[in-house]
Amino acid sequence: MSVLVVGVSHKTAPVPVLERLTLDADGLDKLLHALSTAEHVVEATVLATCNRVEIYAEVNRFHGSVESVSRMLCALPEQGPTSPDEPWGAEALAASEEIVPHLYVHYDDGAVSHLFNVVSGLDSMVVGESQILGQTRNALRLGQEAGTVGPALNELFQQALRVGKRVHAETDIDHAAPSLVSVALERAAAHVGAVRGKRVVVIGAGSMAGLAVATLTRLGAADVVVASRTLANAEHLADLYAARAVPLPEVDIEIGTADVLVSCTGATGVVLPLSRIVAARAADPERTLAVVDLALPHDVDPAVARLPGIALVDLASLAEQLNEDPDAGDVAAVREVVAQEIAAFLAARHAASVTPTLVALRTMATGVVDAEMARLLQRLPELEPRQRAEVEHAVRRVADKLLHQPTVRVKELANETGAVSYATALAELFSLDPDAVEAVTRPEEV
């Protein structure tokens, strides 16, 4: 079995393409269910954030699984096939042609390396950001709850989460790498001035909105208003930071007197159309306002950027700025930690891959010794118990010595690059029973 990653991110696709692949909770459930029925896919989960959608799968065949997994990912924008065998419609085919050029594929060792880099923040829009750690944890939880994550992906993701925690515990990346919210607010400040003393409206009550309110409070915003479709959620977030909460339908009044508007909901459509912004600002249509849209797909109609007094900061513009300096922050220590963890995990993984063959080899040797001892005792029944024990001990020592060097070398060679499967070669040389090898890792029947 091997790990496969098929995905698209801010590094390979423009924001409009990422917006088309946005998944809500129902969409994630449907995708996980479809993946569970895909041919060659044994386990699967999805890592979906505002700037990436990645499918992680444990597969038993490379080419067939790449085709089926890619097919389902490309079908997302047009509600296409829910299984790899369902025929494509014209809209799904058009979506596929748009998305395929932006896909990337990582396999086996490359998939492990990619996930460890992702969870450490090295592949993020803002290098070193910590939100990806929680998003990776959520991807594991979703797969576990859906029953699509088994031992292979569970081990991989658990280790990835440990790597992410180690990165933040042992390096200064938390201080060196700003959050996406911080970068966006810096851009907003260039238009309206420092956040301190300003009036700010935050639409949304999720993790991104929470980070925004926390950052605004730390920067000294004079008045922070939180609005959400669910007033209770807005009130809970507002209470944490001594902010005010209002129902979403009443937010227009607050927008009319705000200096900064931050929107980061989980909606699948535009929350603030151009007409609503114009109406909210009717009393003072040229008032300076920085609109920070951190949602994917976007919450605010991009046309607001043409209104007088308004500056729009969205993910597309942030991606352009951040991609100019992908190594922003002190990430050298993070890269070193990640490289160590990748090497250690792969070494352990490769060593474990030959364990079934080595167990089968030792089992075969034990069987040979037992058979030869039984034959010897039939020929020499007069041997005393002490003599039998000495002979058996000597024979087993000979078998152990003969197997020691091949066992050590196979473990060493398992970590070397190349196309040779030394475990397979060992099984062929000693004519090991394939069923005996498989039985070592086969789960016990309940």
Side-chain angles (χ1 to χ4, degrees), residues 113-445:
S113 177
H114 177 72
L115 177 58
F116 283 17
N117 276 280
V118 167
V119 78
S120 300
L122 292 177
D123 198 61
S124 296
M125 186 178 290
V126 179
V127 176
E129 58 92 10
S130 59
Q131 277 191 300
I132 188 62
L133 189 59
Q135 292 161 337
T136 304
R137 185 181 295 108
N138 189 54
L140 174 59
R141 179 186 59 79
L142 287 173
Q144 291 172 332
E145 292 177 353
T148 58
V149 164
L153 288 185
N154 184 69
E155 179 185 8
L156 174 61
F157 270 72
Q158 293 287 4
Q159 183 59 36
L161 291 171
R162 285 190 284 269
V163 172
K165 291 177 183 177
R166 182 188 168 194
V167 161
H168 290 283
E170 298 183 11
T171 72
D172 293 328
I173 198 64
D174 286 331
H175 304 291
S179 71
L180 187 62
V181 170
S182 298
V183 175
L185 290 177
E186 287 177 7
R187 289 278 298 274
H191 181 65
V192 300
V195 171
R196 179 173 295 279
K198 296 294 191 296
R199 299 191 71 252
V200 185
V201 174
V202 177
I203 300 180
S207 59
M208 184 71 79
L211 182 59
V213 174
T215 304
L216 289 164
T217 302
R218 175 174 54 80
L219 293 175
D223 183 27
V224 178
V225 177
V226 182
S228 174
R229 287 172 294 181
T230 304
L231 180 58
N233 293 341
E235 290 174 339
H236 175 70
L237 177 56
D239 289 344
L240 292 176
Y241 298 97
R244 293 190 294 120
V246 299
L248 189 57
E250 299 177 13
V251 77
D252 302 52
I253 299 175
E254 305 294 342
I255 292 176
T257 58
D259 300 298
V260 179
L261 168 63
V262 179
S263 190
C264 42
T265 74
T268 56
V270 174
V271 176
L272 296 172
L274 178 64
S275 58
R276 187 171 181 181
I277 296 293
V278 171
R281 289 165 50 83
D284 189 0
E286 296 191 5
R287 177 184 175 85
T288 302
L289 174 67
V291 177
V292 178
D293 188 350
L294 299 178
L296 192 71
H298 55 263
D299 280 343
V300 184
D301 186 340
V304 302
R306 298 197 296 267
L307 296 176
I310 289 185
L312 176 63
V313 179
D314 58 12
L315 289 176
S317 61
L318 288 172
E320 293 177 2
Q321 173 188 340
L322 295 168
N323 284 337
E324 294 176 359
D325 188 11
D327 290 324
D330 182 15
V331 300
V334 177
R335 296 188 187 281
E336 183 177 350
V337 169
V338 172
Q340 293 172 359
E341 292 288 349
I342 291 172
F345 183 84
L346 293 180
R349 189 166 179 256
H350 295 162
S353 70
V354 302
T355 297
T357 300
L358 294 177
V359 172
L361 179 61
R362 294 254 173 209
T363 301
M364 181 206 71
T366 299
V368 170
V369 170
D370 290 343
E372 291 303 319
M373 283 302 302
R375 186 178 295 107
L376 177 65
L377 294 179
Q378 285 181 346
R379 293 181 179 180
L380 301 173
E382 67 277 7
L383 283 178
E384 295 180 0
R386 183 180 62 79
Q387 294 172 321
R388 293 178 185 179
E390 286 291 339
V391 172
E392 182 174 357
H393 180 67
V395 174
R396 293 195 186 280
R397 279 176 56 84
V398 170
D400 287 342
K401 286 183 177 294
L402 289 174
L403 294 179
H404 175 72
Q405 194 60 29
T407 298
V408 172
R409 286 296 292 153
V410 164
K411 289 181 178 179
E412 293 174 347
L413 293 170
N415 287 310
E416 294 188 1
T417 58
V420 178
S421 172
Y422 293 97
T424 300
L426 194 65
E428 289 290 335
L429 287 172
F430 285 90
S431 299
L432 299 179
D433 182 358
D435 290 336
V437 176
E438 183 183 352
V440 177
T441 54
R442 184 185 302 139
E444 295 182 5
E445 295 184 2

Side-chain angles (χ1 to χ4, degrees), residues 76-87:
L76 292 179
E78 304 301 335
Q79 299 288 315
T82 55
S83 78
D85 300 321
E86 192 174 327

